[in-house]
Amino acid sequence: MESLLPLVLVVVVFYFFMIRPQMKKQKELKKFRENLQVGDKVVTIGGIHGKILEVADTTILLSCESSTKIRIEKSAVSQSFDEKDVAAQA
């Protein structure tokens, strides 16, 4: 029984420090993607910045520069983009 205690402790530590935070982050990202709305400024996983023109079930229509429009999967959106935040970081 004493030999199993260190193994159990390692599993508990991995759960609380690695698995649980990752699951929480995934849940927040899923909620963010479900709440995307027209007019939001976002950044895709590939680094494309744009403004949402249309939201469908699994895709969004993104306006990049001038008249360029691309349709991407919601799962490709990584974060929201706010020009005020960028100006504050500079």
Side-chain angles (χ1 to χ4, degrees):
M1 191 67 168
E2 291 178 14
S3 64
L4 289 178
L5 184 61
L7 182 62
V8 170
L9 287 174
V10 167
V11 169
V12 169
V13 167
F14 269 107
Y15 176 76
F16 281 107
F17 288 107
M18 298 192 72
I19 298 170
R20 190 168 175 232
Q22 185 66 25
M23 289 172 48
K24 184 177 178 183
K25 186 176 179 182
Q26 289 288 337
K27 219 181 259 189
E28 290 173 357
L29 188 58
K30 182 180 178 187
K31 186 177 179 180
F32 165 72
R33 288 175 178 159
E34 288 173 352
N35 293 326
L36 290 173
Q37 297 177 357
V38 174
D40 289 349
K41 294 180 180 179
V42 295
V43 179
T44 67
I45 293 171
I48 299 171
H49 294 240
K51 185 176 180 181
I52 297 177
L53 297 177
E54 179 184 307
V55 179
D57 290 337
T58 59
T59 62
I60 61 173
L61 184 64
L62 200 63
S63 170
C64 297
E65 287 292 322
S66 61
S67 63
T68 306
K69 297 176 186 176
I70 56 174
R71 185 168 305 277
I72 61 169
E73 293 290 321
K74 280 186 179 179
S75 60
V77 176
S78 65
Q79 63 187 0
S80 142
F81 172 75
D82 192 5
E83 292 166 357
K84 295 175 191 171
D85 293 341
V86 173
Q89 290 176 356

